[in-house]
Amino acid sequence: MQSDTDGLPHLLKCDGLTPCSYCKRRRRADTCHFSPTIRRRRRRSEQPRELSPSPSVVAAPSSYIRPTPATRTPTPTPTPTPTAPNLAVSAPTAQASFTRHSDVSAEEEADVPRDARLICDTQGRLAFIGDCAPLSLFQTVRQIVTSRVDPHAFAPETSRTSMLENIISDSIVPLGATEEPSVDPSRVRGLVATFLTVTSGLVDLFDTTTLVHEIQSWASQAARPADVTSAVHYLVLAIGSQCEDEQTAATYFLRGKHLALAALGGNLSVGTVQSFILTALYMLRACQINAAYLFFGIAARAAYSIGLHRTEVNSRFGPEIHTRRDRLWKSVRVLDLYLSISMGRPPAAADADCSVSYHSVHTDGTERYDLLNASAQILSMVERIIWQVYSRRKISLQLTEGISRELRCWSRRWLAMLLRTVESGGDGEDNQDEEANQVSRERERTGACQVLSSYYYGVMLISRPFLMYELCKRLSEPSTVRSTETSSSGSGRAKLANACIDAATLMIGLISDFVERGPTDRRMPLIVSWLFASSLVVGVGLLGDFSRSLEKALGTSISSLEFFAQHDAHAAQYARIATSLRTCAKTHLEQRDVAERQRVAADSTQLFGLLPSAHPSSNSCPAGGDTICSESGNSGGCRQVEARAHGDPGPGPEELAQQWAEAGPFGDFDPAIFSFDMPPPTTTFRGPPQGDVHVYVHDGQDQVFGAINMFPLFDGNSHIDLAHLL
């Protein structure tokens, strides 16, 4: 508090009395008053995010949500169970929060786990992996499984080493700077065809109609120039032969990379961008993702340096070069977004100052079929998902609806065309022979599969926080509660969790069909990365008992990963992880089913004594005397109703009937479920025949299961009418 007095140029601290000692000394006690301290209003970025105690804010399970130092605010600590957060806040704050969030339902928000971390590779080096990366999802799943299900669920080789970085084999001897590897011109066409197939839907760097002729002419030269053009040709041949002959591919790659680095000292050109994009692609396919990320950064900066991101600059070189430069920039964006999303790192390029359009329409306004445009559009949407969801650590149904609307628009434009391409492989070209048409169809099929995989991964990325919430909720609840409450899919979070599983299942089916057609190349990092994420999502769904049919989908994904694992070390590691998750999920479900059957068997034992008692002496009935033996509750004891003397009246009829109902094992049994629309029997009380024991008799019926009519067809004078069956 401060004392505010007239005639003073500033505020003075006071002793807090009324009036204060300062005003008393100046004989101005009647004018002394206090004003509260003026606090500076926080900017929006400084506002605490989790201060509201509203039930609409869903507290994420503490097993996978850990606040970072930047978000440590005076907020209540979430409870381990996924229920509403602790409401231990002051009354004014709570009132303001309830007023501010009164129109938000309890199903609208979910926390996004902060999964970014440093992980090790096989060489012990640390690498940063962000929140949206598939490896971060694996770390989250591993933490949940080991803390709640089985601490030994994942083998050390699948959990400790999270990122593989291949090194050059010892059998491959690097060439010197001046040595020229031999190139067979007769193999150029096949290697270029393989290169165009594996990069379809990912990059488009060359004019495909002239690329084969250019490389053949270059390969036929006796002395090939040591320039950036030779670097580009060597790298194209290296990627084309990477799956067939790794020795030759490494030879071409080392020579091409040396020439590309040597050309950096000269003038930058389109060839510079192409050479470092190809270097990044080769390293990406060789499981050297950190090196690929670094080399691609050179390509992105070189693209900015020559103005590829501005279409008005590209248009100055004529229509044909304008188109090629625009498509080169689109290739930069697509590969950049894939590297950024798959590793959870910021992109090297951005659309902030970009004027190149990712849309191409016909004269009637419909979208022109272009795999590169489709890939750029969907990956740009995934980038927005990362910025709007994973950067804010919280997602709501309103935000999800806005993003899902964009995904639905993309689906209406592209999904049907891409699925037809995957099924038929396109129409080919009329001026080509059958073999060339088959290669063209495979290229189109591969590109469509890669674009669709990115679309399904985008759907999984937006709905993944809800799936993880539902998983922790199901694992923390007992089976009896889960079977009655979590089986419903009507809530908003449950629908989004199922949407994540459905997207993963559709991707697995798509890639399984693609694998069955036998692609010529088995190094496809984009498909392998998104397939691994789908395997984790389906495994999580199986572990949470969303559906037992997910076990088949998980097995299919493991088979697809093993197909790529023949030439991809990452796919081999991912297949082992998915196998461990499937084994853990099956074991968990089997143990839960056994526990459930044991609980049911215990109930049956209380009825009929099916199993021997652990304490037979306490449950044995006395041999003599008139007794009524019944299992009451879980005690398993016997209650004796001793014959009373004639002088002891004992309990009345109503009281004794109530005791019988409470004591018997069928006290909570409702015979109306077997009544077959028959009126309930009437019960009358008759006096004891010898004055010792009260007996209750149902009129006209035996007292068996509450007088259930076990043969209702014989009620009509023991006659069954079969006339309608003749």
Side-chain angles (χ1 to χ4, degrees), residues 33-197:
H33 66 279
F34 292 91
S35 60
T37 303
I38 300 176
R39 298 184 181 272
R40 181 176 61 88
R41 178 177 298 179
R42 289 186 177 182
R43 296 191 299 269
R44 182 176 299 271
S45 60
E46 298 177 354
Q47 295 291 338
R49 301 176 185 175
E50 301 175 359
L51 187 61
S52 170
S54 171
S56 63
V57 179
V58 180
S62 59
S63 62
Y64 72 100
I65 298 293
R66 294 192 301 271
T68 58
T71 58
R72 290 178 181 173
T73 57
T75 56
T77 303
T79 58
T81 57
T83 57
N86 187 7
L87 304 182
V89 293
S90 61
T93 304
Q95 181 64 29
S97 300
F98 278 113
T99 304
R100 190 164 56 250
H101 298 284
S102 59
D103 57 341
V104 182
S105 67
E107 297 289 339
E108 284 192 351
E109 292 187 0
D111 288 310
V112 178
R114 282 286 188 179
D115 298 329
R117 66 199 73 206
L118 290 173
I119 60 177
C120 295
D121 59 6
T122 54
Q123 309 300 319
R125 296 169 296 190
L126 295 176
F128 173 80
I129 295 297
D131 302 326
C132 59
L135 280 176
S136 290
L137 174 60
F138 164 61
Q139 297 294 339
T140 301
V141 173
R142 184 173 65 90
Q143 181 181 358
I144 294 175
V145 171
T146 54
S147 61
R148 298 179 178 232
V149 180
D150 183 8
H152 307 288
F154 296 97
E157 62 270 15
T158 62
S159 59
R160 294 177 182 175
T161 302
S162 300
M163 177 185 292
L164 291 178
E165 280 288 325
N166 285 353
I167 59 176
I168 298 177
S169 176
D170 296 334
S171 61
I172 300 176
V173 180
L175 293 176
T178 59
E179 296 183 18
E180 289 287 342
S182 61
V183 179
D184 186 2
S186 62
R187 298 185 65 240
V188 168
R189 180 177 297 276
L191 297 180
V192 171
T194 303
F195 165 79
L196 295 177
T197 298

Side-chain angles (χ1 to χ4, degrees), residues 449-580:
C449 187
Q450 295 196 114
V451 174
L452 284 173
S453 299
S454 298
Y455 162 68
Y456 290 131
Y457 185 72
V459 176
M460 288 189 291
L461 206 60
I462 186 64
S463 54
R464 195 174 83 187
F466 299 97
L467 174 63
M468 303 311 296
Y469 178 89
E470 289 294 323
L471 172 65
C472 293
K473 182 179 178 181
R474 289 172 179 243
L475 292 180
S476 61
E477 291 177 345
S479 58
T480 55
V481 177
R482 180 169 55 249
S483 61
T484 57
E485 295 183 1
T486 63
S487 59
S488 175
S489 59
S491 64
R493 286 193 303 266
K495 289 181 179 179
L496 288 167
N498 284 300
C500 185
I501 297 175
D502 293 338
T505 306
L506 289 173
M507 184 196 296
I508 291 172
L510 171 74
I511 298 177
S512 176
D513 295 340
F514 173 75
V515 167
E516 288 180 356
R517 297 177 182 272
T520 57
D521 194 278
R522 302 189 182 188
R523 294 177 183 263
M524 298 182 181
L526 184 143
I527 290 180
V528 169
S529 297
W530 302 162
L531 180 60
F532 174 53
S534 299
S535 302
L536 293 176
V537 168
V538 172
V540 163
L542 180 62
L543 181 65
D545 200 12
F546 285 83
S547 175
R548 296 298 179 93
S549 62
L550 295 176
E551 183 180 352
K552 181 180 179 181
L554 184 56
T556 303
S557 67
I558 294 174
S559 300
S560 300
L561 286 172
E562 291 174 346
F563 173 83
F564 293 107
Q566 300 180 19
H567 294 89
D568 192 326
H570 281 166
Q573 183 193 27
Y574 298 158
R576 290 193 297 268
I577 293 173
T579 302
S580 299

